[in-house]
Amino acid sequence: MAGHVEDKVMSNVKSCPAYSNMADESTDISNRKHLIFSVMYIDAQSGELRTEYVRDLEIPDGKAETIYKETKDLIETNLSIDNLVAFGSDGCNTMIGSKAGVVTRLKDIKSTLINIHCHNHSPGCKRQFEDIPLFKDVDDTLTHVFKYYHCSAVRTNNLEKIQKPFNETET
């Protein structure tokens, strides 16, 4: 089903004159690296600006070379480099480094590419959330839950036991 949804999104993006690609890497609970792609484009039928999730790839590491290779492959295989106008990411050196960062290497292919730094990754974002009591409470709760499990192998093991029935599927 995911392939069908991805194909539909790719088809929509191909029919628009310009799009931006957004990428971020993350580590899941089992300590595996993932590279997540989204696109932003103007829907040809409705004229609305749309942001769509495209793909979540498990990758061996979070190095610039790996992220660049996967990003370039996604663009060249499924989209068009000609219509790519911007690339959004966090501000880490892997993504925006001036020598071998992903954006720098993409600009070697498309010199007019605009780099967009994700607002949610800026240091000021956390301070803004702290001004809203509900967000601060949620952030504090999630931080405490993380620390509770992260600092104890026994607790983590118990959590995995609780999760196991939810991961099993009937055949």
Side-chain angles (χ1 to χ4, degrees):
M1 188 169 163
H4 175 71
V5 172
E6 182 179 320
D7 290 344
K8 185 173 187 276
V9 171
M10 295 299 185
S11 176
N12 290 345
V13 174
K14 285 180 186 177
S15 69
C16 74
Y19 73 95
S20 65
N21 183 15
M22 295 163 282
D24 197 9
E25 41 110 7
S26 182
T27 306
D28 67 17
I29 194 167
S30 58
N31 210 26
R32 291 186 180 99
K33 277 281 188 200
H34 289 261
L35 182 58
I36 299 99
F37 289 109
S38 298
V39 291
M40 184 177 280
Y41 65 98
I42 297 173
D43 186 274
Q45 293 177 343
S46 68
E48 293 178 14
L49 182 64
R50 300 186 52 98
T51 302
E52 303 273 358
Y53 161 83
V54 176
R55 185 181 289 171
D56 179 342
L57 292 173
E58 188 174 328
I59 55 176
D61 56 60
K63 296 178 181 176
E65 176 64 28
T66 303
I67 296 171
Y68 169 73
K69 179 185 159 296
E70 294 297 343
T71 303
K72 185 177 174 221
D73 181 60
L74 174 78
I75 293 167
E76 289 179 344
T77 305
N78 299 293
L79 301 167
S80 166
I81 191 72
D82 296 331
N83 296 350
L84 178 64
V85 295
F87 183 82
S89 69
D90 58 16
C92 71
N93 199 38
T94 300
M95 291 294 196
I96 64 169
S98 62
K99 293 183 181 173
V102 175
V103 174
T104 301
R105 296 180 72 184
L106 288 171
K107 283 185 174 187
D108 288 342
I109 301 169
K110 175 101 186 230
S111 62
T112 58
L113 186 69
I114 299 167
N115 176 41
I116 299 173
H117 184 274
C118 174
H119 175 72
N120 291 336
H121 283 92
S122 71
C125 185
K126 184 167 174 63
R127 286 191 301 273
Q128 290 171 354
F129 282 145
E130 288 175 352
D131 292 341
I132 303 169
L134 179 61
F135 286 164
K136 183 171 180 0
D137 291 346
V138 169
D139 186 55
D140 288 347
T141 301
L142 293 174
T143 300
H144 285 93
V145 169
F146 169 78
K147 287 180 180 178
Y148 179 80
Y149 287 106
H150 180 71
C151 297
S152 170
V154 172
R155 292 178 191 148
T156 300
N157 190 30
N158 288 335
L159 179 62
E160 288 173 356
K161 286 178 185 174
I162 292 168
Q163 291 175 326
K164 187 171 178 156
F166 295 105
N167 295 330
E168 295 174 0
T169 57
E170 294 181 23
T171 55

